[in-house]
Amino acid sequence: QTKTGIALLYDEVSKNAYDIRLKLTKEVLTIQKQDVVCVSGSDHSANHRTVTLHRQSVGGLGLSIKGGAEHKVPVVISRIFKEQAADQTGMLFIGDAIIQVNGINVENATHEEVVHLLRNAGDEVTITVQYLRQAPSFLRLPLGSPGPSSDHSSGASSPLFDSGLHLNGNSTNTASSSPSSPIANEPKYEKRWIDTLSFPLSMARISRYKADTDKLRSNAFEVLALDGVSTGILQFYTAQESADWLRAISTNISDLTLQNMKSANKCSSPSKQVIHMGWVNEKLEGTDSSQLYKFKFLALKGSSFYIFSTPPVSTVDWVRAEKVYNLCEVLFKIHKLWLAVDCWLQANLYLGVHQDFDLEDQRPYCFSVMVGHGKSHYFNVELGSELAVWEKSFQRAIFLEVQRTGSKTYMCSWQGDTLCFTIDFALGFTCFDNKTKNVLWRFKFSQLKGSSDDGKTRVKLHFQNLDTKQIETKELEFQDLTAVLHCIHSFIAAKVASLDPVFIDSQSIARKYVWSN
């Protein structure tokens, strides 16, 4: 289904915003701009039109103008009055920039200079116009011409003076002038929305933040295609409109990503299936209070968690990941889920607040993936619904990998002896001698009652003896203690999920606090 609507395209260089129309289909977001096109008659260019107006005793030229060189914009037609001179020509439109008046160039003229020319041009006024496709929004030009004004652009007054009826001038003809009407063989023109830019949504990404800051744009965001081309800043008139468009575009991107995943999975073995993938923002290491983030593309596939700078679009791209981690050895953790007091609160998209600990970062919807050797990656997503999907996807990917793997064995040591420590989905924990393979001890998952570690290499595991009910402590030393602890967590969580899936779902932080309208 196609979604359309009026928005503004903000130019960060000129600081102006221009009226545009958005057209959203399943696969493409199109930006349309208004233009005047020739629909019949001679094949003349619609770029410049020369029109002769016959001033009427009542209504004068039948138009109003705004702008001028003092405002760094051309003088444009801001209103056309129905059934009066300008309207009767069928060749003039709101948004037309006046280029010439009776052969005099007025492209660099001030507002008052053009008013003076039009008032004193006589009963027959010939003007040359060109439609201004990028009329700054501060002109407040109605998007429809003639007829009812748009609900958006005409809704607020412009700071610029709108010269209207006083353009009548002093006609020397006391009788009504003959109406300005189109000649039969003259070309016919219409104002239409014309496609100017189209952005494929497959693997596209959205950003609501101002560049290199943690500041949300007010009722605005940009869409970036796979090749990095940006729509520019899309601004909306209300928070609800912005939220609706953000959700609609995000949904289409997610649907296309799901299609790509299904296509890739058809050619992959069951152990190499893609569980989830998508764009996130990663906080750069060592950044100061400016909290710089960079786009990253994450993927959960088979036994691995991938971090890419650009999405993998072919089979060979999977070997080009920046980082690859074993899913059994990572720990997913939600850090922030809260609503800032801004326009998104008004939209009622998400509710609830959760925060594990105090962070300087001001972005909501944050999670980290802790990896081996105590390192971690810190990510942020644009929507609370995306956070919930990532939480669920990590759980599913890790649980599937645990069940596929069945067991993981790590080399460890204690008191000079080289040992092997095995985490087994069916049996629990087993420790045996690396040389003789003799089992030193074995405990079920349910017997693990606690643990403590030194944050470096050593861990103490506290098990309850089923016969004596006493706690037995086993101390081991690992080269990468963090990976082992994460693996223990993954196996226990997967075991609990296999026995009580409802319990795991009830522990979801994001899904507990995030639900849509």
Side-chain angles (χ1 to χ4, degrees), residues 230-422:
S230 170
T231 57
I233 309 304
L234 304 177
Q235 286 188 335
F236 298 87
Y237 292 92
T238 67
Q240 187 62 58
E241 282 182 316
S242 181
D244 288 345
W245 274 99
L246 179 67
R247 184 165 47 190
I249 296 172
S250 296
T251 297
N252 286 15
I253 292 174
S254 297
D255 290 345
L256 290 172
T257 301
L258 185 60
Q259 286 183 17
N260 292 333
M261 287 166 46
K262 289 180 177 179
S263 298
N265 287 341
K266 287 180 181 178
C267 306
S268 302
S269 64
S271 62
K272 297 292 185 180
Q273 298 287 293
V274 179
I275 301 300
H276 186 58
M277 60 183 183
W279 286 101
V280 299
N281 302 295
E282 182 178 16
K283 182 180 175 183
L284 301 182
E285 292 184 7
T287 54
D288 56 18
S289 58
S290 61
Q291 304 295 347
L292 298 182
Y293 280 78
K294 189 173 183 179
F295 281 113
K296 297 291 182 179
F297 192 86
L298 309 185
L300 304 175
K301 179 183 179 184
S303 63
S304 301
F305 164 50
Y306 295 83
I307 301 178
F308 295 92
S309 57
T310 57
V313 294
S314 65
T315 305
V316 297
D317 289 340
W318 288 92
V319 300
R320 298 172 183 166
E322 292 182 350
K323 300 286 183 180
V324 182
Y325 301 101
N326 185 280
L327 279 168
C328 289
E329 297 177 349
V330 302
L331 182 65
F332 176 93
K333 187 173 184 180
I334 289 178
H335 289 308
K336 275 193 172 185
L337 178 60
W338 56 275
L339 281 177
V341 183
D342 58 22
C343 60
W344 303 100
L345 184 61
Q346 302 170 32
N348 288 324
L349 284 180
Y350 311 105
L351 300 175
V353 174
H354 176 85
Q355 186 171 339
D356 293 33
F357 45 83
D358 185 33
L359 292 171
E360 292 183 0
D361 187 5
Q362 296 302 307
R363 294 193 180 200
Y365 316 131
C366 298
F367 68 91
S368 67
V369 179
M370 303 170 71
V371 296
H373 296 288
K375 296 182 179 180
S376 65
H377 295 271
Y378 190 80
F379 302 107
N380 151 261
V381 289
E382 299 290 340
L383 297 172
S385 56
E386 293 179 302
L387 185 62
V389 171
W390 277 113
E391 182 187 32
K392 184 176 182 179
S393 299
F394 263 94
Q395 283 184 354
R396 181 170 174 237
I398 290 172
F399 294 171
L400 287 174
E401 175 57 18
V402 167
Q403 292 172 353
R404 275 195 302 264
T405 303
S407 67
K408 293 276 287 184
T409 298
Y410 296 91
M411 299 295 293
C412 60
S413 62
W414 185 241
Q415 294 182 342
D417 296 327
T418 302
L419 309 175
C420 292
F421 176 72
T422 297

Side-chain angles (χ1 to χ4, degrees), residues 22-307:
L22 296 178
K23 183 173 68 174
L24 176 65
T25 62
K26 184 178 179 181
E27 297 181 346
V28 176
L29 175 65
T30 301
I31 293 179
Q32 299 177 318
K33 296 180 181 179
Q34 278 194 322
D35 205 350
V36 172
V37 297
C38 182
V39 295
S40 66
S42 302
D43 187 21
H44 292 165
S45 170
N47 288 339
H48 287 79
R49 284 162 281 126
T50 299
V51 184
T52 298
L53 298 172
H54 298 282
R55 195 186 307 273
Q56 297 175 352
S57 57
V58 177
L61 300 179
L63 55 81
S64 295
I65 61 173
K66 280 184 179 179
E70 67 270 36
H71 303 293
K72 298 182 180 180
V73 292
V75 171
V76 298
I77 297 175
S78 57
R79 293 185 68 188
I80 293 178
F81 298 95
K82 195 169 184 179
E83 297 181 357
Q84 294 187 17
D87 181 30
Q88 289 169 353
T89 67
M91 296 178 65
L92 295 175
F93 300 87
I94 291 175
D96 278 339
I98 300 176
I99 308 299
Q100 289 184 348
V101 177
N102 285 348
I104 301 173
N105 188 288
V106 295
E107 289 182 274
N108 297 313
T110 65
H111 184 90
E112 287 303 322
E113 288 171 341
V114 176
V115 168
H116 179 76
L117 273 176
L118 290 174
R119 289 190 64 186
N120 297 281
D123 293 336
E124 189 173 277
V125 183
T126 300
I127 63 174
T128 299
V129 298
Q130 178 181 15
Y131 187 72
L132 186 62
R133 294 181 68 184
Q134 291 198 159
S137 60
F138 64 77
L139 289 173
R140 298 294 181 189
L141 300 180
L143 296 180
S145 169
S149 299
S150 160
D151 289 340
H152 287 312
S153 295
S154 61
S157 62
S158 169
L160 305 190
F161 187 59
D162 193 330
S163 299
L165 294 178
H166 66 284
L167 294 178
N168 292 353
N170 299 313
S171 175
T172 58
N173 186 356
T174 56
S176 297
S177 302
S178 59
S180 305
S181 58
I183 303 172
N185 61 353
E186 282 290 316
K188 304 293 189 299
Y189 297 95
E190 286 183 5
K191 185 192 285 189
R192 293 181 177 177
W193 288 106
I194 306 299
D195 292 354
T196 55
L197 293 170
S198 293
F199 295 84
L201 295 177
S202 179
M203 300 294 189
R205 58 190 189 269
I206 297 175
S207 176
R208 294 188 292 148
Y209 292 90
K210 294 181 180 179
D212 300 331
T213 72
D214 284 328
K215 295 181 179 179
L216 281 170
R217 299 183 185 276
S218 179
N219 300 345
F221 57 84
E222 67 176 319
V223 182
L224 297 101
L226 176 61
D227 58 4
V229 176
S230 170
T231 57
I233 309 304
L234 304 177
Q235 286 188 335
F236 298 87
Y237 292 92
T238 67
Q240 187 62 58
E241 282 182 316
S242 181
D244 288 345
W245 274 99
L246 179 67
R247 184 165 47 190
I249 296 172
S250 296
T251 297
N252 286 15
I253 292 174
S254 297
D255 290 345
L256 290 172
T257 301
L258 185 60
Q259 286 183 17
N260 292 333
M261 287 166 46
K262 289 180 177 179
S263 298
N265 287 341
K266 287 180 181 178
C267 306
S268 302
S269 64
S271 62
K272 297 292 185 180
Q273 298 287 293
V274 179
I275 301 300
H276 186 58
M277 60 183 183
W279 286 101
V280 299
N281 302 295
E282 182 178 16
K283 182 180 175 183
L284 301 182
E285 292 184 7
T287 54
D288 56 18
S289 58
S290 61
Q291 304 295 347
L292 298 182
Y293 280 78
K294 189 173 183 179
F295 281 113
K296 297 291 182 179
F297 192 86
L298 309 185
L300 304 175
K301 179 183 179 184
S303 63
S304 301
F305 164 50
Y306 295 83
I307 301 178

